[in-house]
Amino acid sequence: MIYGIGTDICDVRRIRLSFERHGERFAQKILADGELATWRTRNARWPDRGLRYLATRFSAKEAFSKAIGMGMRMPMTWRLCEIGKLASGQPVIVLHGALKDWFDARGLTAHVSVTDETDYAASFVVVERTTTP
């Protein structure tokens, strides 16, 4: 049964302005530790690709927060929600701490899709209830 659906589109140019204004602190606020390591590697070699990576993670987390009907309030935080990937490249949502506990207690599972082009990143999330809480 579908619990919630969320979508988000993010202007990469807006992310660039935030990054220029706040530097790496901006990335540290948005990204979980695993994402931050990936971002640093990409950003060092290809700054534009690093910005698109940051934008897709921002967008996916916004879409997830909408799908769970919570927005950005506890236990939903930027760093407790991580966008990882399977060996196949498929993106997955990995939750941590209080957000994971909240999500698991409700018997939920999430599916995420992310995409980006030069100026935009977009994400779509479907959250399902797989068990009765």
Side-chain angles (χ1 to χ4, degrees):
M1 165 194 247
I2 293 179
Y3 181 86
I5 298 171
T7 189
D8 189 75
I9 187 166
C10 177
D11 190 329
V12 176
R13 296 164 294 193
R14 188 177 124 223
I15 297 297
R16 181 186 311 277
L17 290 174
S18 292
F19 182 73
E20 288 171 355
R21 204 170 21 253
H22 303 288
E24 189 169 317
R25 261 191 2 227
F26 179 69
Q28 291 170 338
K29 177 182 176 182
I30 303 302
L31 303 175
D33 291 340
E35 295 169 316
L36 195 56
T38 300
W39 171 79
R40 284 181 175 139
T41 301
R42 288 185 185 187
N43 196 55
R45 286 189 75 185
W46 309 285
D48 285 342
R49 198 166 163 215
L51 281 171
R52 287 195 308 273
Y53 179 86
L54 186 55
T56 58
R57 274 43 193 179
F58 185 96
S59 174
K61 293 174 187 198
E62 283 282 336
F64 177 76
S65 74
K66 293 170 185 175
I68 62 174
M70 190 169 283
M72 285 297 172
R73 62 181 175 82
M74 290 302 286
M76 176 64 201
T77 69
W78 294 108
R79 293 184 45 81
L80 292 181
C81 179
E82 182 174 359
I83 311 305
K85 68 176 182 173
L86 301 178
S88 66
Q90 177 184 353
V92 293
I93 294 178
V94 180
L95 303 177
H96 305 282
L99 181 57
K100 179 177 178 21
D101 295 342
W102 179 91
F103 195 76
D104 291 347
R106 285 156 181 76
L108 302 175
T109 187
H111 311 278
V112 61
S113 179
V114 297
T115 189
D116 66 272
E117 282 297 329
T118 303
D119 292 334
Y120 298 98
S123 301
F124 188 79
V125 174
V126 175
V127 173
E128 293 180 285
R129 176 166 289 154
T130 55
T131 62
T132 304

